[in-house]
Amino acid sequence: MTPEKSKSSLRIGSSQIRLLERLCNACAVSGDEGEVRKIVLEQVKPHADEVKVDALGNVLVTRLGAGEGRLRVMLAAHMDEVGFMLTAEDGEGFYRFDTVGGMDVRALVGKAVWIGREHLPGVIGAKPIHMAEKDELKRVIALDALRIDTGLGNKKLKIGDRAVFATNFARHGPSLHAKALDNRLGVATLVELVKHAPANIDLLAAFTVQEEIGGRGARVGAFALDPHLAIAIDSTPAYDLPPAEERENLRYNTRLGGGPAIYVADAGTLSDPRLIRHLVTTAEALSIPYQMRQPGGGGTDAGAIHQQRAGIPSVSVSVPGRYAHTAVSIARISDWQDTLSLLYAALERLTPVLLSEER
Ligand SMILES: [Zn+2]
């Protein structure tokens, strides 16, 4: 049997990668998403029936379909990224800071950062190895012992300014290396879907704020959009490193090259079984690679969305990425392509019958 073809398959080409580069190099720590919001607005406005920026800063986009009995489908992608917030000035160009979103303090020392809306340079410094005692090297440095050092180079910093890892986007062969691939991959995917929405549905796109600190934007976005069902588009950690010792890597979470990760369960959501089935059936019918994300921790905007109003059937689909929430992540262009293809085909095949199916 030859697989059936989706009517239109969207491609990840050089213009999509250029847009992702702009999105990844922009700084948008939770609560300060303006830089990414500006790019999103510029991209979606020509293709939308309605575009709103709500009270929290979510970009809510409506693109209406045509014909009878259309489902209202919410697609959510968070614009924010994990990062830092300056909390106190310590003199001599040093600043105390706090982390925003889930971060591993062990991954901070020695990293360059961009601070504030002007991307001013700084460094998260620590005592050099020359001065460190042997047992000191075995301990994790506490967050409150770390400072962002501007080298007295910046005069314009304020308490509350955000900072991010200073990592420029790069493409190397089949892979993308960048900060904030979680979730600019989702944002770039959703921009494509807004531009080329299938006509059988009303597409309600929510580019959300404050996901990394608990899905706060998605909660109000879902209430406002009042959809029949929702899909969160995100990036999930790939845990596919070669084993370094016996106990390591017995359980893969997701792998690069395995295609989009479909969620069954995470810390915040049990995905709607009808939506899981729809995604899997679509992928199999069109021979699109996919993987089931190992049920477990973590979460997406779906955690907030599915509990809105009288309940909204929800599922998440993620592009896998290694080293999430660190200075640089690695993702595969092929996984991004397969995620876009699967989402488009799944939307194109959605009918109201799905929601009357047994769970
Ligand atoms: Zn994310």
Side-chain angles (χ1 to χ4, degrees):
M1 193 176 85
T2 46
E4 61 179 287
K5 277 266 172 299
S6 175
K7 274 183 220 117
S8 153
S9 44
L10 307 183
R11 305 307 307 170
I12 301 296
S14 54
S15 74
Q16 286 75 17
I17 292 174
R18 270 199 307 277
L19 174 64
L20 181 65
E21 174 170 8
R22 285 177 67 202
L23 288 165
C24 286
N25 289 347
C27 301
V29 178
S30 311
D32 191 22
E33 295 90 352
E35 233 179 281
V36 167
R37 183 163 46 239
K38 202 171 153 208
I39 300 172
V40 167
L41 287 170
E42 153 216 304
Q43 293 290 317
V44 299
K45 267 187 178 158
H47 306 275
D49 290 291
E50 193 187 2
V51 180
K52 267 198 288 207
V53 177
D54 75 6
L56 295 195
N58 294 311
V59 179
L60 303 180
V61 182
T62 304
R63 182 166 167 166
L64 300 171
E68 297 293 297
R70 303 191 303 271
L71 284 171
R72 294 166 55 78
V73 180
M74 176 178 180
L75 299 177
H78 70 87
M79 297 188 288
D80 62 318
E81 68 192 286
V82 297
F84 314 101
M85 184 192 279
L86 302 186
T87 56
E89 199 179 339
D90 242 5
E92 301 287 314
F94 290 106
Y95 289 83
R96 290 170 188 264
F97 65 96
D98 214 339
T99 50
V100 180
M103 297 189 98
D104 184 342
V105 178
R106 294 172 303 170
L108 306 188
V109 173
K111 301 296 193 301
V113 295
W114 292 323
I115 313 158
R117 295 185 174 174
E118 292 169 72
H119 300 196
L120 300 167
V123 175
I124 301 174
K127 192 194 276 187
I129 191 160
H130 314 66
M131 279 70 194
E133 306 290 342
K134 242 189 181 158
D135 63 325
E136 220 180 322
L137 293 173
K138 291 183 190 146
R139 289 195 304 269
V140 179
I141 305 175
L143 180 62
D144 60 11
L146 291 174
R147 298 289 181 274
I148 287 177
D149 181 359
T150 66
L152 283 174
N154 305 316
K155 299 263 183 292
K156 294 173 231 166
L157 303 181
K158 300 180 301 296
I159 301 314
D161 275 355
R162 310 297 204 277
V164 297
F165 292 116
T167 307
N168 276 305
F169 179 96
R171 176 184 176 173
H172 298 293
S175 299
L176 304 168
H177 299 208
K179 75 165 181 68
L181 283 168
D182 171 13
N183 182 32
R184 305 298 149 66
L185 276 167
V187 170
T189 304
L190 186 47
V191 165
E192 283 305 300
L193 292 169
V194 169
K195 288 182 179 175
H196 308 281
N200 57 307
I201 57 163
D202 288 344
L203 193 150
L204 313 171
F207 297 89
T208 63
V209 296
Q210 301 185 35
E211 188 269 353
E212 296 290 2
I213 51 172
R216 298 177 192 179
R219 187 163 304 135
V220 299
F223 184 90
L225 292 172
D226 192 13
H228 291 118
L229 63 96
I231 304 174
I233 310 169
D234 212 318
S235 174
T236 193
Y239 179 46
D240 61 347
L241 280 66
E245 48 188 275
E246 277 312 303
R247 64 194 162 81
E248 196 180 334
N249 218 10
L250 297 172
R251 282 186 64 199
Y252 285 89
N253 180 23
T254 62
R255 308 166 190 246
L256 295 203
I262 300 171
Y263 286 52
V264 176
D266 63 25
T269 319
L270 294 168
S271 300
D272 186 281
R274 297 162 298 187
L275 295 178
I276 298 172
R277 224 160 37 224
H278 180 67
L279 288 165
V280 169
T281 312
T282 302
E284 305 244 323
L286 300 176
S287 300
I288 299 169
Y290 71 97
Q291 52 190 322
M292 303 310 290
R293 180 184 180 275
Q294 289 267 331
T300 70
D301 272 340
I305 295 167
H306 81 285
Q307 301 183 63
Q308 262 308 330
R309 292 186 174 262
I312 298 168
S314 301
V315 69
S316 301
V317 176
S318 277
V319 185
R322 288 187 193 136
Y323 324 120
H325 293 200
T326 70
V328 58
S329 296
I330 296 184
R332 287 276 155 77
I333 297 168
S334 63
D335 289 330
W336 181 20
Q337 173 68 67
D338 291 333
T339 303
L340 179 63
S341 299
L342 174 59
L343 286 168
Y344 184 86
L347 295 176
E348 206 181 24
R349 296 152 66 100
L350 267 180
T351 65
V353 176
L354 181 82
L355 295 180
S356 54
E357 278 173 17
E358 257 186 73
R359 283 153 197 278

